[in-house]
Amino acid sequence: MNIPFSLALHGGAGTITRQLMTAGQEQQYLLALREALEIGYAVLRRGGSALDAVELTVRSLEDCPLFNAGKGAVFTHEGHHEMDAAIMDGRNRDAGAVTGVRTVQNPIRAARLVMEQTDHVLLAHPGADELARQHGLPTQPVEYFFTQHRYDQLQEALLEGRMRLDHSEPLPEPTPAAPLEEPIAFEEDPKKKMGTVGAVALDQHGNLAAATSTGGMTNKRYSRIGDSPIIGAGTFADNRTCAISCTGHGEFFLRAVVAHDISCLMEYRGLSLAEACRIVVHDKLAPMGGEGGLVAVDAAGNIALPFNSEGMYRASLSSADGVPYIGIYRD
């Protein structure tokens, strides 16, 4: 059987336009996407598993402060980091996920640990952090997750009494200022920037896998959890159909059960990957108010990178043509 092996990844979606990006910033993102793509594709090229490929791809993105995952995670309302991740094996639909972890250097490794070393699927902080420590996963002090860019965003928001989002100008309607010694309760418009990273892959053995990791929403409160660590919503893989990793306003992706819905359209209605993705992202999700996108690969190695936002950091490569694709904007 000569199956084209394929890899696709994303680094978040939202209001990402050329007008909001300098040439230097654009180059940094393109280089980071290319590096992650090369890391994951190298695993597939030498006959490695899709599971290893998506994990290593996501780890590369988690270690890059440009993206809202791992080292680049955004701050919560309380001023710390709460990170989520999930991974799924298309061979048998085994899955693992963590939510709210604070010390694990690579949350995607903790998610795989849950899948392979426990009888569970989803673990939350503090138990997920403790499991990672017990199994020797690298952990980091809070200073590791601090980045000047994220800190400056917080300080600008505090001083201006309004939000600053990663890839947009300050929102036009300011929130009434509060004393600086008290946290300002911003209500972030998540449609402006949906920061998540993820990868999907089909290996030479015909197996699919998906992985997703996120730092969540800037200024999130009350231990909010989005779609990324929820199997069937933000992450899904089944060898019979496809592998999916989503990025967007998590509440809508949760309500639409986006990743599993695409798989169901393929399995029960016999739709192609491209058509199933189009229906869910544009016909179902968008009318609900859900903005964002996803990366997908099917059991034949076909790749889809649909999104309904202004832009999505994305990259893909298949052995079918050997031509890497890297994109940021809609056009």
Side-chain angles (χ1 to χ4, degrees):
M1 188 184 304
N2 186 19
I3 301 174
F5 51 94
S6 304
L7 176 73
L9 63 92
H10 68 79
T15 306
I16 306 168
T17 66
R18 286 186 173 86
Q19 293 73 25
L20 298 174
M21 187 93 66
T22 68
Q25 290 170 335
E26 179 178 299
Q27 188 64 20
Q28 284 184 312
Y29 279 105
L30 292 173
L31 288 173
L33 293 169
R34 179 177 293 276
E35 180 179 1
L37 185 66
E38 291 174 350
I39 288 172
Y41 193 75
V43 175
L44 300 177
R45 187 172 51 237
R46 62 175 178 260
S49 71
L51 202 62
D52 287 343
V54 296
E55 182 197 335
L56 288 173
T57 300
V58 168
R59 281 169 59 179
S60 174
L61 296 168
E62 287 177 335
D63 290 340
C64 178
L66 293 174
F67 302 104
N68 178 20
K71 185 171 179 58
V74 298
F75 287 93
T76 67
H77 179 75
E78 294 77 19
H80 57 252
H81 307 280
E82 295 175 2
M83 298 168 288
D84 307 330
I87 193 167
M88 189 165 186
D89 188 341
R91 292 176 299 180
N92 49 18
R93 302 219 293 193
D94 278 355
V98 294
T99 182
V101 295
R102 301 187 184 185
T103 62
V104 182
Q105 178 175 326
N106 294 106
I108 197 63
R109 294 189 66 184
R112 187 166 181 176
L113 184 66
V114 172
M115 179 179 71
E116 295 180 337
Q117 299 296 326
T118 79
D119 296 324
H120 310 301
V121 171
L122 176 61
L123 295 183
H125 170 83
D129 290 270
E130 179 59 28
L131 177 73
R133 283 192 292 270
Q134 288 181 5
H135 285 265
L137 291 190
T139 59
Q140 296 289 347
V142 294
E143 293 78 15
Y144 170 84
F145 300 100
F146 174 94
T147 59
Q148 192 64 45
H149 173 59
R150 303 298 187 195
Y151 180 78
D152 289 345
Q153 286 179 331
L154 177 63
Q155 298 311 305
E156 289 166 356
L158 291 171
L159 291 173
E160 295 173 358
R162 58 182 178 178
M163 292 176 294
R164 274 192 179 273
L165 305 177
D166 285 350
H167 305 292
S168 67
E169 297 176 355
L171 295 185
E173 297 181 4
T175 302
L180 289 182
E181 63 268 22
E182 295 292 332
I184 295 177
F186 298 119
E187 294 297 328
E188 178 168 0
D189 179 359
K191 294 185 292 184
K192 295 297 180 181
K193 199 282 182 183
M194 285 74 79
T196 306
V197 306
V200 293
L202 173 70
D203 62 32
Q204 295 188 44
H205 312 288
N207 297 316
L208 292 164
T212 313
S213 182
T214 184
M217 291 168 55
T218 300
N219 194 50
K220 71 172 184 175
R221 304 183 70 181
Y222 313 119
S223 300
R224 174 262 185 191
I225 300 169
D227 66 302
S228 297
I230 305 303
I231 302 304
T235 307
F236 190 74
D238 187 329
N239 274 9
R240 297 173 299 177
T241 53
C242 60
I244 307 284
S245 175
C246 300
T247 173
H249 186 178
E251 278 66 19
F252 292 97
F253 280 72
L254 282 163
R255 288 161 53 194
V257 200
V258 166
H260 188 248
D261 195 17
I262 292 170
S263 176
C264 288
L265 287 172
M266 296 177 67
E267 183 175 2
Y268 302 138
R269 290 183 54 187
L271 298 186
S272 68
L273 177 69
E275 181 64 6
C277 288
R278 185 196 65 78
I279 289 173
V280 173
V281 173
H282 296 286
D283 295 348
K284 291 188 173 185
L285 190 62
M288 293 172 58
E291 191 174 352
L294 56 90
V295 294
V297 62
D298 67 14
N302 298 304
I303 293 171
L305 310 169
F307 58 97
N308 59 32
S309 52
E310 290 288 338
M312 182 173 76
Y313 298 110
R314 60 200 186 277
S316 64
L317 180 56
S318 172
S319 64
D321 57 22
V323 179
Y325 168 78
I326 302 175
I328 297 177
Y329 313 110
R330 186 187 294 274
D331 54 342

